[in-house]
Amino acid sequence: MATPISLSLSSLPSKSQQLVRNERRMLAASDDGAMTKLIQSTHAPDGRFVDVKPILQVIDNVLHHIIPNIDHAMNGGTGHIDALDDRTNSYVIDGALDALAYIVHKICCEVSCKCSGGGDAHATTMGILNMLSNYSWDAKVVLTLAAFAVNFGEFWLIVQLCTSNSLAKSVALLKQLPDILEHSQTLKPHFDALNKLIDVTKCIVEFTELPSEFISIDVPPLSTAMAHIPTATYWIIWSVVACAAQIMGLVGMGHEFITSTSEAWELSSLAHKVSSIHEHLQSLLHICYQRIDEEKLMEAFEDFRRTIETPQMDNLKILLKIFRKEKLYYLLNPDKTKVLNDVLRRKQVLLLISDLDISQEEIRVLEALYKGERVSCELNYEILWLPIVDRSTWNDGYEQKFLSLQSIMPWYTVNHPFAIEPAVIKYIMEVWGFVKKPIAVTLDPKGKVLCPNALNMMWIWGNSAFPFSSEKEESFWKAEAWTLELLVDRLEPNLPTWVSQQKVVCFYGGVQMEWIESFTTATKGVAKALDIGLEMVYVGKNNAKERVKKITGLIKEKQLSHAWEDDNVWFFWNRLESMLYSKTQHGKTIENDAIKQEVMTMLAYDGSENGWAVFFSGSDEMVRANGDKVISSMESFDEWEKLAKQMGFIPALRKQLEGITDNHHCTRLILPENSGGIPERVQCAECGRPMEMYFMYRCCVE
């Protein structure tokens, strides 16, 4: 870019000096209250409508085509006119511009006359505002830019054609343009500023097109934005006047004008002002669009709520509303073939909702229910995976993770997480309560929600809980008691044999290897002394996969006891959590529900770093304790050996544990946030006192 030749202010004629002072004063004062009122006083719209977008497209075609090619034109190149779209052509051909041609011509004359006569920019700007008083703010700026585009376009047509067209060359000679061309690069910053004027004008037009059904002009943020439009209009027109003055100067004064104006106009201040206006309007426009998106989201949210809460003929309408209308809402079936949603019509559907951190264990256990028991029992339900993701942080890594999970799921899946309607995601999180832990919402063949989370009952009772309704869940609980079968389910294949052999079965957990060795050794010694059958099973610790795997290896190596593999460990603890959430969903408390109390005790044991143990004899005789108490009892067996031989192992152990006082203990209950809700009141598993609630944030399960 060529450097402007600078002149001192004193070298300008006295009239020019006065204009400079006036313009600098207006630069400083144009945003104060008095100036805003002055601008507003020119505004008296009469309701006439001007479709500004086609006109703006023509202006854009003129200015944005010429400006980037100034250098090319100076070197004798020829310009090229971009084709206008059909709508603009139709607008022009139909004569819609006829009614505006007169006012555009008047503005052209006003600008030419005032700039030629040395008028100041403020006076000219106010004159144009008064001339356009009956028009809307967006029409004022577009019509002013249209007038400038006429003058600017005519000027640059001569510049572009003067080297190849004799008529243009003659006109250029009369206007002394050839001499000016040598210094035309000095004006490039002024013409570059026109790009910003177009951007600001587009902003103003966008404000007028915002949908009134989603945002009101009378309240923020749109009312705030509209309050800034008059000042922005003033500055756009002033900038147009300034650029027009440059062209008039080129035609009339030549190189002298370029030199003096580069100092007088203070281009940097003007450019900064226009840029600031644009940034401010853009930020307000962004806020408006956010508000519109929020209102649209709420409208779609309420529409989905009404649909899913209204009885339907079948489930198809609900399934269609889950997916975005502008997207191709196909699914992948279990064979990974593309199918449409209607393949699930009139079927019972479990909407499996999770993020991309759903565990492999969860998928494998659910797969066993879906592909095994479901098929053998001829149960007519399908699973559809709806992954909930953060679109703002989506990247190739997440894309690959999604595709990897999709490939191993043997049920229906969405083609892409973004296909899910945002309003449905909002409903899933706010009404169905999805946060992090996967849930499965049951839809019957007519689309009625039977249960907001069927996974709880699936983990507890498997496919026997079909059709996975809240009523079926409640009926199952009425028939349940805290037994060995409920705790372990089918996780231990040897359990029926051990029970039939009347053995004492001990399940224990923790991650302290020293305690495990001491406990298993001492307990085996007690069983040998009493001559009773004993089987011990290590069930690990929740969310400590790697540590449990290491300890399991050591237990097997040293033949301390039986030990479960990863999937069984995960399923055991997940079932306990599911029992807690299921009980909470049905309004049960630890005061009125023995099963919930036992479940919370087991989860509290797992929350500590110490070990724990629970002993069963038969299916219902049971005793439990934390690691310190139980190992203390085993190591002091001589104190209660006689009692054990009289009463039996479990009754005697229970009596011994009751006699151990624990003056200090710290019990923790760690629960993931889930749709079942977190209990408001939790009793300590050791002393029965209410536990204090804290928040723990954890990103790593190890």
Side-chain angles (χ1 to χ4, degrees):
M1 181 184 295
T3 304
I5 303 172
S6 177
L7 292 180
S8 66
L9 192 60
S10 60
S11 66
L12 298 174
S14 58
K15 186 174 181 180
S16 296
Q17 291 180 25
Q18 184 60 43
L19 288 176
V20 169
R21 294 191 189 99
N22 290 342
E23 289 172 358
R24 284 179 174 171
R25 177 175 56 79
M26 294 311 302
L27 277 166
S30 62
D31 293 330
D32 63 21
M35 190 64 207
T36 302
K37 289 181 180 179
L38 181 62
I39 297 169
Q40 287 277 16
S41 68
T42 67
H43 190 56
D46 58 8
R48 67 184 70 186
F49 172 73
V50 177
D51 189 1
V52 298
K53 289 197 75 174
I55 305 174
L56 189 57
Q57 186 176 349
V58 176
I59 297 168
D60 202 27
N61 200 58
V62 172
L63 302 183
H64 277 89
H65 176 71
I66 296 173
I67 294 169
N69 293 286
I70 292 175
D71 292 336
H72 180 62
M74 296 304 98
N75 292 322
T78 58
H80 136 136
I81 302 299
D82 295 330
L84 300 178
D85 66 18
D86 293 339
R87 181 173 179 271
T88 305
N89 281 326
S90 174
Y91 188 86
V92 175
I93 293 170
D94 289 346
L97 278 172
D98 287 351
L100 300 173
Y102 175 70
I103 192 67
V104 171
H105 178 69
K106 280 187 67 177
I107 299 170
C108 286
C109 294
E110 176 78 6
V111 172
S112 299
C113 179
K114 293 295 173 66
C115 290
S116 300
D120 66 80
H122 169 67
T124 305
T125 300
M126 294 304 297
I128 294 173
L129 285 172
N130 282 304
M131 187 186 302
L132 298 172
S133 62
N134 297 134
Y135 292 88
S136 60
W137 293 109
D138 60 321
K140 295 179 200 289
V141 292
V142 170
L143 291 174
T144 303
L145 278 173
F148 176 77
V150 171
N151 286 338
F152 190 39
E154 290 174 350
F155 173 80
W156 281 106
L157 276 174
I158 297 173
V159 169
Q160 289 176 323
L161 297 174
C162 65
T163 57
S164 59
N165 183 285
S166 58
L167 175 60
K169 184 176 182 179
S170 299
V171 174
L173 285 171
L174 292 173
K175 291 179 174 286
Q176 302 177 6
L177 291 182
D179 182 55
I180 300 304
L181 294 181
E182 299 176 16
H183 309 283
S184 61
Q185 194 67 17
T186 305
L187 286 175
K188 192 173 186 298
H190 301 76
F191 297 135
D192 288 342
L194 289 171
N195 287 319
K196 190 62 68 177
L197 294 182
I198 292 290
D199 293 337
V200 178
T201 301
K202 287 179 178 178
C203 262
I204 294 174
V205 172
E206 276 192 76
F207 279 115
T208 65
E209 295 179 330
L210 296 178
S212 58
E213 65 269 28
F214 296 113
I215 190 166
S216 172
I217 197 172
D218 299 321
V219 296
L222 185 53
S223 62
T224 304
M226 296 308 292
H228 290 82
I229 297 299
T231 303
T233 301
Y234 172 86
W235 275 104
I236 292 172
I237 296 175
W238 185 345
S239 300
V240 167
V241 171
C243 290
Q246 293 289 340
I247 295 177
M248 295 305 299
L250 276 171
V251 174
M253 297 179 65
H255 177 56
E256 247 184 56
F257 181 82
I258 299 174
T259 325
S260 60
T261 305
S262 64
E263 171 71 16
W265 180 238
E266 296 186 349
L267 179 61
S268 62
S269 296
L270 180 62
H272 176 73
K273 175 69 72 173
V274 174
S275 295
S276 296
I277 291 172
H278 181 240
E279 290 173 7
H280 186 54
L281 290 179
Q282 279 284 78
S283 65
L284 290 171
L285 191 60
H286 177 69
I287 295 171
C288 287
Y289 280 129
Q290 282 184 324
R291 178 66 57 82
I292 291 168
D293 288 342
E294 290 169 3
E295 292 297 321
K296 287 182 177 179
L297 183 66
M298 281 305 303
E299 184 179 82
F301 174 85
E302 292 299 330
D303 178 61
F304 184 74
R305 181 200 291 274
R306 285 191 298 271
T307 302
I308 205 164
E309 293 178 359
T310 302
Q312 304 289 332
M313 295 296 293
D314 57 44
N315 59 4
L316 186 59
K317 187 174 182 180
I318 292 170
L319 291 172
L320 291 177
K321 280 186 176 291
I322 289 175
F323 301 97
R324 303 182 65 154
K325 296 179 178 62
E326 67 271 20
K327 302 289 182 182
L328 184 61
Y329 44 82
Y330 65 82
L331 308 175
L332 293 185
N333 68 11
D335 297 326
K336 308 310 174 190
T337 303
K338 293 180 180 179
V339 294
L340 294 178
N341 287 349
D342 57 8
V343 72
L344 297 175
R345 186 176 187 179
R346 295 196 177 116
K347 291 184 179 181
Q348 178 147 322
V349 179
L350 295 181
L351 301 177
L352 176 61
I353 299 164
S354 77
D355 59 17
L356 298 184
D357 291 326
I358 183 173
S359 69
Q360 299 289 323
E361 292 87 354
E362 194 138 19
I363 294 173
R364 285 194 292 267
V365 173
L366 188 57
E367 180 180 7
L369 294 175
Y370 180 74
K371 296 181 70 175
E373 292 183 7
R374 166 182 161 274
V375 175
S376 62
C377 297
E378 298 182 352
L379 301 180
N380 185 27
Y381 73 84
E382 296 292 346
I383 298 175
L384 171 59
W385 182 42
L386 301 179
I388 308 301
V389 301
D390 183 353
R391 302 184 186 197
S392 65
T393 60
W394 188 260
N395 55 38
D396 291 341
Y398 290 127
E399 183 81 28
Q400 291 305 312
K401 193 172 184 179
F402 162 73
L403 294 174
S404 176
L405 287 171
Q406 186 185 56
S407 68
I408 64 174
M409 289 184 174
W411 41 75
Y412 289 88
T413 62
V414 295
N415 64 312
H416 195 278
F418 288 7
I420 303 172
E421 176 65 45
V424 174
I425 295 176
K426 179 179 174 67
Y427 189 90
I428 287 171
M429 299 180 75
E430 294 186 7
V431 179
W432 290 337
F434 171 75
V435 179
K436 176 74 177 173
K437 193 173 176 64
I439 63 173
V441 179
T442 312
L443 296 181
D444 75 1
K446 290 188 175 182
K448 180 183 178 181
V449 176
L450 297 181
C451 181
N453 188 7
L455 281 185
N456 288 333
M457 67 182 87
M458 293 182 79
W459 298 151
I460 301 168
W461 299 291
N463 280 311
S464 61
F466 182 83
F468 311 117
S469 65
S470 296
E471 291 76 15
K472 187 71 174 282
E473 185 176 17
E474 187 171 4
S475 69
F476 265 64
W477 278 126
K478 288 179 180 179
E480 285 287 3
W482 183 246
T483 62
L484 182 58
E485 287 79 4
L486 178 62
L487 175 64
V488 181
D489 191 44
R490 291 159 291 177
L491 294 173
E492 179 49 66
N494 297 310
L495 188 59
T497 302
W498 294 342
V499 171
S500 68
Q501 294 173 350
Q502 297 184 339
K503 289 185 176 182
V504 172
V505 183
C506 172
F507 294 94
Y508 70 97
V511 286
Q512 294 182 350
M513 192 62 202
E514 183 179 353
W515 178 88
I516 291 172
E517 289 191 78
S518 300
F519 168 68
T520 53
T521 301
T523 304
K524 288 177 182 178
V526 170
K528 185 177 181 181
L530 293 174
D531 193 25
I532 60 174
L534 172 70
E535 297 291 346
M536 304 184 74
V537 182
Y538 176 66
V539 300
K541 181 177 176 62
N542 196 20
N543 292 328
K545 185 176 180 180
E546 294 304 318
R547 285 190 290 172
V548 169
K549 185 180 292 187
K550 182 178 179 181
I551 290 171
T552 298
L554 291 172
I555 289 173
K556 290 181 177 180
E557 179 184 333
K558 298 182 179 184
Q559 297 183 341
L560 299 177
S561 72
H562 301 279
W564 285 343
E565 298 298 331
D566 293 345
D567 285 3
N568 280 13
V569 172
W570 174 87
F571 195 27
F572 175 78
W573 292 109
N574 200 65
R575 283 185 77 249
L576 284 173
E577 288 180 359
S578 295
M579 291 179 198
L580 174 61
Y581 292 130
S582 178
K583 285 288 186 178
T584 302
Q585 278 183 335
H586 288 275
K588 302 300 181 181
T589 66
I590 54 176
E591 290 85 4
N592 64 19
D593 194 278
I595 294 178
K596 184 172 183 179
Q597 184 175 11
E598 292 295 335
V599 168
M600 291 186 69
T601 299
M602 296 288 292
L603 292 172
Y605 284 158
D606 185 64
S608 68
E609 291 298 322
N610 300 322
W612 57 271
V614 55
F615 293 88
F616 283 91
S617 177
S619 63
D620 54 1
E621 193 174 27
M622 181 267 289
V623 65
R624 52 171 168 72
N626 66 30
D628 292 338
K629 278 188 175 184
V630 74
I631 198 170
S632 175
S633 297
M634 295 303 169
E635 291 176 346
S636 61
F637 175 62
D638 56 330
E639 297 178 5
W640 54 283
E641 181 177 2
K642 184 177 179 181
L643 187 64
K645 290 179 179 178
Q646 294 174 352
M647 300 177 62
F649 171 72
I650 287 183
L653 177 57
R654 182 183 299 112
K655 193 170 185 64
Q656 176 67 17
L657 290 168
E658 290 172 353
I660 298 176
T661 58
D662 191 355
N663 295 324
H664 174 76
H665 63 270
C666 182
T667 303
R668 295 182 298 173
L669 178 62
I670 301 174
L671 299 173
E673 191 169 0
N674 182 268
S675 62
I678 301 298
E680 293 184 4
R681 183 174 178 271
V682 177
Q683 283 183 332
C684 174
E686 297 300 319
C687 64
R689 291 195 300 267
M691 298 175 69
E692 293 184 29
M693 181 181 288
Y694 291 86
F695 292 98
M696 182 178 72
Y697 299 90
R698 182 165 61 177
C699 67
C700 180
V701 297
E702 292 298 331

